[in-house]
Amino acid sequence: MTKQQRRQYKAIIAGKTYIISGEASLPHFKSTEELLNKQIKQIKVVAPKLSQLDQAILLTFNSISDQLYKQAEIDELREKIDEMQAEINLLQSQKERLKPKKSAVSSIIATAKQESRTRASNKIFKETDK
């Protein structure tokens, strides 16, 4: 997105208004705002004596921790995909090796059959032309 395509979103987070600027869709901004406020409320319940700054730091820590877990999960899935692709490639190469090769004799026989069919067809057409 260019600068002109960036969106501005007015979010209310923990009772304070913020103008968020970014390339995300409006539903994405709204979902992020809702999730953030929900998590702030949860932290306030669990640790009501923490200052707002400490609650925000705890929320940030939790978010980054979640991000690391998700990245590890993505990396693991990509590794599985790579392993499966390698297995598919191996099976395809094994299948290619197992395909019967046309021998010179079978090639000659196939050519002879085709020529025989062609001669028979030509003979039929010549007889009908008379």
Side-chain angles (χ1 to χ4, degrees):
M1 277 189 166
T2 63
K3 269 189 172 182
Q4 295 169 350
Q5 292 173 314
R6 292 178 66 82
R7 293 178 179 84
Q8 287 194 338
Y9 179 76
K10 184 178 176 181
I12 300 173
I13 302 168
K16 187 172 178 184
T17 302
Y18 296 89
I19 302 297
I20 309 294
S21 179
E23 298 172 359
S25 67
L26 294 177
H28 179 85
F29 281 132
K30 183 69 177 163
S31 296
T32 303
E33 175 189 13
E34 289 173 2
L35 183 58
L36 184 57
N37 281 315
K38 179 181 175 184
Q39 290 179 358
I40 287 172
K41 285 179 186 174
Q42 289 173 344
I43 289 174
K44 284 182 180 182
V45 169
V46 174
K49 293 184 181 180
L50 288 181
S51 69
Q52 271 193 326
L53 176 61
D54 288 339
Q55 290 172 352
I57 290 171
L58 184 56
L59 176 59
T60 302
F61 184 89
N62 289 343
S63 296
I64 291 173
S65 176
D66 289 347
Q67 181 181 352
L68 291 173
Y69 281 124
K70 293 296 180 194
Q71 187 61 52
E73 188 177 342
I74 289 168
D75 293 345
E76 185 179 316
L77 290 170
R78 283 184 178 152
E79 198 172 297
K80 284 182 182 179
I81 289 169
D82 290 344
E83 288 171 6
M84 291 174 141
Q85 188 61 54
E87 193 172 326
I88 288 169
N89 293 342
L90 177 64
L91 290 171
Q92 285 176 337
S93 69
Q94 288 174 347
K95 183 179 175 185
E96 288 297 318
R97 280 184 279 169
L98 294 176
K99 277 186 180 177
K101 304 285 186 209
K102 279 194 171 181
S103 68
V105 173
S106 64
S107 182
I108 292 169
I109 292 171
T111 303
K113 285 180 181 177
Q114 182 61 37
E115 288 174 357
S116 175
R117 283 188 208 112
T118 304
R119 280 193 304 274
S121 296
N122 289 343
K123 188 176 181 182
I124 291 170
F125 286 122
K126 284 182 182 176
E127 286 178 7
T128 57
D129 288 343
K130 291 181 179 180

